[in-house]
Amino acid sequence: MCGIVGFIGSTNVKKTLLDGLKELEYRGYDSAGMAVMQSSKIDSFKAVGKLANLVAKTAPFEPKGFAVGIAHTRWATHGKPTEINAHPHQGRHSYIVHNGIIENYLPIKEELTKQGVGFLSQTDTEVIVHLYESFLTREQDAYRAFEQTIEAIEGAYAILLIDEGVQNTIFFAKKGSPLQIGDGDRGRFFASSDAPLIGICDNAIYLEDGSWGWATAETLSLFVGKTPMTAQKKPLPISQSSAQKEGFRFFMEKEIYEQSKVMSETLMSRVMASGVRLDELPEGFFDGVESLRLCACGTSYHAALAATYLFERLSRIEARAEIASEFHYRDPMLRNNELFIVISQSGETADTLEALKMAKRSGLKTLAICNVDNSSIVREADAALLTRAGIEKGVASTKAFATQTMVLWLLALFIAQKRGALDEEQMTAETNAARRSVKTLMVQPDRHEQIKRLSKRYLHGHGFFFIGRDLFYPLALEGALKLKEISYMHAEGYPAGEMKHGPIALADSKLFTIALMPHTLLREKMRSNVEELIARDTTLLAITSEHFAFADDVLQMDERSHPMLEFFEMMVAIQLLALEIAIRLGNDVDMPRNLAKSVTVE
Ligand code: G6P
């Protein structure tokens, strides 16, 4: 989704901005732009499509010496992905980049239009720059005008603004969308996530909601409301090496292959011989907790849903999963003794963050399961368990899902321990299985080859159903989501037992059904559901460790000892299937059309 970079310094200003945008590219965008101020002159450039187009546009431009720059990648919300709608947006003498949504932009636009201001774009962002200039005309004080602008806008934003009349300075503001400031050897940097700062700054200031101010190379004025604040720095991760493709065709492929390795990290010092330790959780965190409510979006929601089966079966605690965008606005009934768990790869998903804030306001204890330390969600929650998957760049989430599911499984065991829900033998079986998952997640080259070959038979149907029961139903949802995200083919995940209540009407030889048929759970029931579909001539791919002669194709699995090991082995298979189908269709697997890695608008 939209990304922001800013820089105040003397060397390589253009390259620094472009490199920063490059680091944000994986998040998804459809246009990009930058504005660079030298003395009191601003040059601005915008281009639709890939960053390469902005690189080409800025080729003749090379700022010499000290300059101040702001740059942006845009993922269209208000108005089409055109050059006019790309950021920076400009007034008469100032330029702005913005992430988020200005909810009251229409009344502001009307008011400014009455004052004679002309608008070029269809965006909400453009009102901010005109509003600032309008206040400036009245106040004759840029700092005061910026403050008034921030007071007047509503919604979510991270903003950088430069003005030809205020040399060497970047104005900034943050509410609801992330913004960091880092100081490096070459100058002062701004970014909407860590990625552009890693390797060039050791520390960053993670701006709190409601922060605003202005910065030069030497000074930083920071406020929350009218109160001056002292900036608090936090260390940044040191290396970016994990974010390179390393010979794989796509980041997604690399990240599927990485799952086994990162799972060792996820498990490290958490799984003991006969129990689970979660040292990040404060002593007594679960005291008084009688039920769990899990809330997330997209793939993270599927991890949440899978976890409800684990919590109820292993920990004997009531658990319910919610889609964040639905939960937030339906005036839900909440109980004081519920623990509210949010799950998010990025820690910045607006729907999830808003749900978390609402749960906090209602007085619930909150826990984040997240891949990004220092993210908004981690900072907002009472406690956090990090999934330790490393940077995930493919928009279609893979290793994040695997590690989220593992952390949730460990949490289920941890709660089971507290509640005495499992005996020692059961607990040992669980922890052994958790450890063995590292091996289960390794991609077997032969199987990958088989999936590559198989993929060519699954390109031209009228749709896909992924079916499973119990834990394998959320996995079926995830398989369908992976496939539609990157192949653009219609796919649905369905509880296998529910097919006969409607969807079976679609069954014919051009309907592709991917059946997740574990050995350890509801084997016979699942078999009957699959046979009902075969009888209607659906084309069926069985993913199973069973002997199953009736399917058109079988992906033979090895695991038969534990449902979660079967889950992880099948998960790798469906990830690879989606990947190979999308590659055959010639799609950009890492940056699928219309999608963003981190969705920071509601
Ligand atoms: C976007 C991404 C999905 C992701 C979802 C939730 O829609 O494209 O891959 O699952 O957001 O993201 P989160 O960072 O909160 O897990």
Side-chain angles (χ1 to χ4, degrees), residues 385-406:
L385 291 170
L386 294 178
T387 48
R388 308 178 185 161
I391 293 177
E392 186 180 70
K393 286 210 158 183
V395 164
S397 181
T398 52
K399 62 177 181 169
F401 175 70
T403 52
Q404 285 167 344
T405 312
M406 175 56 85

Side-chain angles (χ1 to χ4, degrees), residues 80 178 193 291 330 385 416 423 461 472 527 594:
K80 290 208 158 91
S193 80
S291 62
R330 72 176 167 77
L385 291 170
D423 64 27
F472 296 83
R527 203 184 168 98
N594 305 339

Side-chain angles (χ1 to χ4, degrees), residues 23 97 100 138 146 156 199 228 231 372 457 487 519 557 575:
E23 289 300 330
V97 293
R138 199 177 69 193
F146 188 70
V372 183
R457 300 171 53 162
S487 75
H519 173 74
M557 301 286 109
Q575 291 168 341

Side-chain angles (χ1 to χ4, degrees), residues 465-468 513-517 526 530 540-544 570:
F465 270 92
F466 284 71
I467 58 169
T513 303
I514 316 292
L516 307 179
M517 303 174 70
M526 183 66 196
V530 168
L540 194 118
L541 166 61
I543 305 187
T544 185
M570 289 186 192

Side-chain angles (χ1 to χ4, degrees), residues 320-337:
R320 177 168 166 187
E322 305 248 15
I323 291 174
S325 55
E326 285 297 311
F327 168 77
H328 187 195
Y329 293 102
R330 72 176 167 77
D331 201 6
M333 300 277 292
L334 298 169
R335 281 177 294 177
N336 291 342
N337 56 9

Side-chain angles (χ1 to χ4, degrees), residues 297-300 343-347 349 352 395-397 404 485 595-599:
C297 304
T299 288
S300 299
I343 301 130
S344 173
Q345 188 286 125
S346 61
T349 303
T352 311
V395 164
S397 181
Q404 285 167 344
E485 281 178 317
L595 297 183
K597 180 76 188 150
S598 171
V599 182

Side-chain angles (χ1 to χ4, degrees), residues 128-144:
I128 312 172
V129 72
H130 293 301
L131 187 63
Y132 162 76
E133 292 193 352
S134 151
F135 283 132
L136 182 56
T137 309
R138 199 177 69 193
E139 296 285 332
Q140 295 300 305
D141 175 341
Y143 307 96
R144 178 82 191 112

Side-chain angles (χ1 to χ4, degrees), residues 293-396:
R293 194 172 303 229
L294 296 94
C295 194
C297 304
T299 288
S300 299
Y301 168 71
H302 296 155
L305 193 59
T308 59
Y309 291 82
L310 298 172
F311 285 124
E312 298 210 337
R313 184 167 289 137
L314 300 174
S315 339
R316 303 308 291 159
I317 189 166
E318 189 190 327
R320 177 168 166 187
E322 305 248 15
I323 291 174
S325 55
E326 285 297 311
F327 168 77
H328 187 195
Y329 293 102
R330 72 176 167 77
D331 201 6
M333 300 277 292
L334 298 169
R335 281 177 294 177
N336 291 342
N337 56 9
E338 272 184 347
L339 173 66
F340 194 78
I341 306 178
V342 283
I343 301 130
S344 173
Q345 188 286 125
S346 61
E348 303 298 347
T349 303
D351 287 319
T352 311
L353 183 58
E354 288 308 313
L356 170 62
K357 286 180 182 166
M358 187 183 124
K360 272 187 83 177
R361 279 197 302 275
S362 310
L364 296 197
K365 200 184 276 185
T366 57
L367 170 66
I369 294 183
C370 190
N371 194 30
V372 183
D373 200 3
N374 287 325
S375 58
S376 305
I377 284 176
V378 167
R379 282 180 286 139
E380 188 74 31
D382 296 324
L385 291 170
L386 294 178
T387 48
R388 308 178 185 161
I391 293 177
E392 186 180 70
K393 286 210 158 183
V395 164

